[in-house]
Amino acid sequence: MRNIIGVPATEGDFYNRPQIIRSITEGLSRSSNILLTAPRRVGKTSVMMYLLHNSQEPYFFLYKDVEGISTSNGFFKEILYSILKDKQIAQSPSVAERIKSLPGKFFKSIKALNIGLEGASIEFQDNHEQQEHNYLEELQMLLSRLDLGGKKIIMMLDEFPWAIENIVKKSNLEEASRFLQANRSLRLTPEFQQKIQFIYAGSIGLNATVSRLGISASVNDLHPINVSPLSQEEAKDMIQQIAATESITITNIAIQHLLEKIGWLIPFYIQLAIKEAKDLLPDNREIDEHLMNKAFDQIIEYRNNNLFHHWKSRLDTSFVKNELKFVHVVLSYMAQNETMHYHNIHNLAVKHKVAEPKQVLETLKYDGYVNNQEDKQVYRYNSPILKLWWQRYVCK
């Protein structure tokens, strides 16, 4: 596997996680709608890319990043178009003719459904742009009439929590609640359950998002599957696979040393460390413990700032005024003092007029910043690397 950094790994560059893939396929076989839970950079999108490129019977896997969507109608339009433009679905017997014969205004405006090498394209009547459509109703009509030959659509929706946040900002909380209820109704209507299932994921936690907005009941039917960091053995195997592809040699001592320094074994940090070590590697030399130490120091150099800055920028959009100041103080304290007791966190919350510090902490836990695994009252950074970056570039 190639050492791919900063973008989802696909096909041969994906480090296979058979246990997670098996959990997903078993959940789908039980007709569950799935919520992939994991902090940022652990590999949720890469898992969905694997499913997309390794479709299994009896499913059509479709993928859509919905981070930029800010209306309910726009969201359901994207799902509708994803189904119509999927090459495998469009090639199913009689699907194209059945779609053009549907009674909805949207479907009547379709002139042709053309199937190409990359997928299907839709040709509309001249007056299509002047018509308004209720895309949820059109999607429901499509699903009710679509004959998939006993197969199911698996709609994988990435960054779903951001769509909710966007709808709240553009409209209001009531609109976001209606949006979530519409999604829930679509999932739980027996007629549609025979045609479509959903996999939701996002770099901010869905449960934390809906809990903060007070609308948790709308997602309590989802089956959670955790995408965990790599185990020690998985991390070693991943390093060896990358080394083989990159034609480099890494000593066993250097591998173990790297894993100890990284601490939180997510693919992103492992791949970044290997890149830095390779950049420092003299010709025909192996990567040893000394070189790995130098590579670790290079990881948080300013030239890599763009790979880390999104951690901070996401906080700027996830929290408002007082909460954001509170979060910065808490993370800066932990960066300089290793740990922070909840008693001190609570006192800071009172000072910054933050009413629900535990909800804020849950968001930080999901986002991959902190954990309290060793002691429920004591919080610390997950990643020594992120801690060092925050200490160098954010702490004042």
Side-chain angles (χ1 to χ4, degrees):
M1 59 183 292
R2 294 178 303 165
N3 196 22
I4 304 297
I5 300 170
V7 296
T10 59
E11 303 194 44
D13 300 321
F14 172 68
Y15 181 75
N16 198 1
R17 312 287 298 275
Q19 184 175 348
I20 294 169
I21 301 299
R22 184 168 59 251
S23 295
I24 293 172
T25 54
E26 287 176 354
L28 293 175
S29 70
R30 295 191 296 268
S31 296
S32 297
N33 293 286
I34 291 169
L35 173 61
L36 291 184
T37 64
R40 189 176 303 129
R41 297 287 199 181
V42 170
K44 297 183 296 296
T45 301
S46 294
V47 167
M48 289 189 285
M49 290 294 101
Y50 175 86
L51 293 169
L52 182 67
H53 294 117
N54 295 272
S55 293
Q56 306 171 36
E57 295 289 344
Y59 305 121
F60 296 113
F61 282 94
L62 279 63
Y63 171 87
K64 187 68 185 178
D65 184 328
V66 296
E67 180 175 0
I69 290 174
S70 58
T71 67
S72 179
N73 204 40
F75 173 85
F76 291 113
K77 177 182 178 179
E78 291 298 329
I79 295 179
L80 178 64
Y81 272 67
S82 294
I83 294 172
L84 292 175
K85 291 184 176 183
D86 184 77
K87 182 179 178 181
Q88 294 182 80
I89 294 174
Q91 286 179 327
S92 298
S94 304
V95 162
E97 293 306 316
R98 188 180 292 268
I99 286 171
K100 287 187 288 183
S101 68
L102 290 173
K105 286 194 303 181
F106 172 79
F107 298 105
K108 286 186 176 299
S109 67
I110 294 177
K111 183 187 296 185
L113 192 64
N114 304 309
I115 302 172
L117 293 175
E118 299 299 322
S121 62
I122 307 171
E123 186 179 346
F124 291 101
Q125 306 287 351
D126 293 339
N127 65 343
H128 169 68
E129 294 297 330
Q130 283 72 50
Q131 299 184 53
E132 293 185 5
H133 303 292
N134 182 321
Y135 284 103
L136 174 57
E137 290 184 358
E138 303 284 358
L139 174 61
Q140 290 170 329
M141 184 180 302
L142 173 65
L143 292 173
S144 66
R145 303 288 185 88
L146 200 56
D147 182 1
L148 298 173
K151 297 181 73 171
K152 272 188 182 182
I153 296 165
I154 307 299
M155 190 72 232
M156 300 184 290
L157 297 168
D158 208 354
E159 302 296 1
F160 182 70
W162 281 110
I164 302 168
E165 296 276 7
N166 293 341
I167 290 171
V168 171
K169 290 174 182 176
K170 181 166 184 172
S171 300
N172 50 48
L173 181 59
E174 290 73 21
E175 179 61 22
S177 180
R178 286 191 290 270
F179 167 69
L180 285 170
Q181 288 298 334
N183 273 273
R184 180 184 174 91
S185 177
L186 189 64
R187 293 192 300 268
L188 298 183
T189 299
E191 180 183 11
F192 305 138
Q193 287 176 333
Q194 305 305 312
K195 306 288 182 68
I196 192 167
Q197 289 171 248
F198 294 88
I199 298 177
Y200 300 91
S203 57
I204 56 174
L206 178 59
N207 286 331
T209 298
V210 296
S211 176
R212 181 165 52 82
L213 296 174
I215 45 181
S216 298
S218 55
V219 297
N220 60 11
D221 61 299
L222 299 178
H223 173 59
I225 293 177
N226 183 45
V227 182
S228 59
L230 300 173
S231 67
Q232 285 271 333
E233 290 307 311
E234 287 174 326
K236 289 178 184 177
D237 183 50
M238 180 180 182
I239 292 170
Q240 289 163 350
Q241 288 192 35
I242 292 173
T245 303
E246 300 282 332
S247 300
I248 56 178
T249 302
I250 309 177
T251 68
N252 289 331
I253 293 175
I255 291 174
Q256 189 59 44
H257 186 63
L258 170 62
L259 299 185
E260 289 171 1
K261 290 184 77 70
I262 289 177
W264 196 46
L265 301 180
I266 64 174
F268 169 69
Y269 290 135
I270 293 170
Q271 291 167 309
L272 186 55
I274 293 174
K275 173 193 173 296
E276 293 295 337
K278 185 179 179 183
D279 288 348
L280 293 168
L281 184 66
D283 292 341
N284 301 318
R285 291 278 301 279
E286 65 181 8
I287 296 173
D288 58 15
E289 184 178 355
H290 172 71
L291 192 64
M292 197 60 81
N293 271 332
K294 290 178 67 177
F296 190 84
D297 293 338
Q298 293 290 316
I299 288 175
I300 58 170
E301 286 297 309
Y302 186 77
R303 58 190 165 78
N304 287 327
N305 212 33
N306 64 309
L307 297 175
F308 291 92
H309 189 71
H310 74 281
W311 292 85
K312 180 178 177 296
S313 64
R314 286 298 180 100
L315 295 177
D316 296 340
T317 53
S318 296
F319 298 106
V320 294
K321 299 177 181 177
N322 288 357
E323 283 184 341
L324 185 59
K325 290 180 181 178
F326 166 70
V327 164
H328 273 244
V329 172
V330 167
L331 290 175
S332 295
Y333 183 94
M334 276 188 272
Q336 295 169 322
N337 297 277
E338 297 294 334
T339 64
M340 191 171 189
H341 197 279
Y342 181 73
H343 175 74
N344 294 332
I345 295 174
H346 182 268
N347 289 342
L348 279 174
V350 173
K351 177 181 177 180
H352 288 85
K353 299 180 181 179
V354 173
E356 299 289 345
K358 288 191 175 180
Q359 284 189 5
V360 173
L361 288 169
E362 283 302 308
T363 299
L364 292 178
K365 284 172 65 176
Y366 185 89
D367 278 1
Y369 282 95
V370 303
N371 74 77
N372 59 340
Q373 293 173 349
E374 294 182 13
D375 182 334
K376 294 301 180 186
Q377 295 297 306
V378 178
Y379 290 80
R380 68 180 72 238
Y381 271 87
N382 275 324
S383 166
I385 295 174
L386 182 59
K387 173 177 169 289
L388 287 171
W389 179 84
W390 189 276
Q391 193 178 84
R392 179 177 296 186
Y393 297 108
V394 184
C395 285
K396 296 180 180 179

